[in-house]
Amino acid sequence: MRPEMPYPLDQAIVRSGGLDTLLRDLTDRAVEAVPGCAACSITVRRGDRLLTLAGSGTLPSGLDLRQYENGTGPCVTAAETETEQYAPDLAVETRWPAYTRYALSVGVRCVLAVPLAVEGDTGAALNFYGVEPGVLGTARDRARAFAARTAEAVDVALRVERERADATDVRTALLSRSVIDQAIGILMAQERVSARIALERLRRISQHTNTKLRDLATDLVSRVSGDGRPPSRGR
């Protein structure tokens, strides 16, 4: 059996080739590390919906998706209530009838969903699937221990995703501000007006033509720089 976290998480990320690869690798390791586990996946809430962040290569297609579509199932319940869910035998399980039928049709008989402690309001769970009834019962402590280690990696993945989104927003805002400042400078030079009047003029044209101020400024800068773009209507 491969070691589960033989080096710090930042080193693990580098060695695995990125967070996505690391998370997929962790689900594959869970299959090896937890007796009776035939497949594993990581459920997280992103915005107003749940999705599978990573899954082992043995995960049947649609096994998690059916839960998200129905809004019910062990993984959904574990992520939303932060309460461990164990179904030793889906053949006699009554809590999630729609999901149970599908899981049985793809050969799953036993499910254990362990909530993951992650930052913020994001719900998350590590899901273990077995193909024999009761097969995960004696491995629940090991599954919980594995989930506790996996939570750190999921936390990092979600934090990196948030930071990337924030960085994109900042870059967009800076680029918008830059091109608007350039357009203001052009009007100031062409019409010999102050920066305040130039900005007001751009805003009036933007409202009159129903064009975003950033797009209007980009068009003006492009025309002056001679890149061949047609002029905006309203000027």
Side-chain angles (χ1 to χ4, degrees):
M1 182 184 299
R2 287 180 296 176
E4 292 172 4
M5 274 292 187
Y7 29 76
L9 183 59
D10 56 348
Q11 295 181 31
I13 292 169
V14 172
R15 288 170 182 248
S16 66
L19 274 170
D20 291 342
T21 302
L22 174 64
L23 293 173
R24 287 194 300 270
D25 186 53
L26 284 173
T27 58
D28 284 332
R29 293 186 186 196
V31 175
E32 300 177 3
V34 178
C37 180
C40 179
S41 66
I42 301 171
T43 293
V44 298
R45 177 169 292 284
R46 185 176 291 157
D48 61 351
R49 64 192 181 99
L50 291 170
L51 55 81
T52 298
L53 195 62
S56 64
T58 53
L59 185 71
S61 177
L63 192 56
D64 289 347
L65 182 60
R66 287 301 179 95
Q67 296 186 71
Y68 309 150
E69 291 174 344
N70 295 330
T72 182
C75 308
V76 171
T77 303
E80 293 187 339
T81 67
E82 300 182 359
T83 304
E84 184 176 303
Q85 302 296 309
Y86 179 51
D89 189 357
L90 292 179
V92 296
E93 180 60 60
T94 60
R95 284 175 289 179
W96 315 287
Y99 172 70
T100 296
R101 288 191 295 273
Y102 178 78
L104 289 171
S105 74
V106 295
V108 173
R109 287 290 297 273
C110 183
V111 181
L112 172 63
V114 182
L116 298 176
V118 294
E119 292 181 1
D121 298 327
T122 302
L126 187 63
N127 316 307
F128 303 87
Y129 298 97
V131 296
E132 299 291 339
V135 72
L136 295 170
T138 59
R140 293 175 71 175
D141 286 342
R142 184 170 294 190
R144 292 170 188 143
F146 196 94
R149 289 187 288 273
T150 301
E152 182 185 4
V154 174
D155 235 353
V156 171
L158 295 175
R159 184 166 66 249
V160 167
E161 183 178 78
R162 287 192 295 268
E163 289 172 354
R164 285 174 177 169
D166 290 343
T168 298
D169 290 342
V170 169
R171 284 196 297 272
T172 299
L174 289 174
L175 289 172
S176 296
R177 183 66 260 175
S178 175
V179 75
I180 291 171
D181 286 344
Q182 290 179 58
I184 289 172
I186 290 170
L187 286 182
M188 289 173 65
Q190 288 181 342
E191 303 185 15
R192 299 185 182 279
V193 295
S194 67
R196 180 182 61 81
I197 293 175
L199 177 58
E200 289 177 354
R201 192 163 297 177
L202 284 172
R203 284 175 173 164
R204 285 198 302 271
I205 297 172
S206 171
Q207 294 171 356
H208 178 70
T209 61
N210 195 28
T211 304
K212 290 181 179 179
L213 184 60
R214 178 194 62 206
D215 294 340
L216 182 67
T218 299
D219 184 77
L220 176 58
V221 171
S222 297
R223 284 190 292 113
V224 171
S225 64
D227 68 355
R229 288 184 58 181
S232 293
R233 287 176 297 177
R235 279 282 299 142

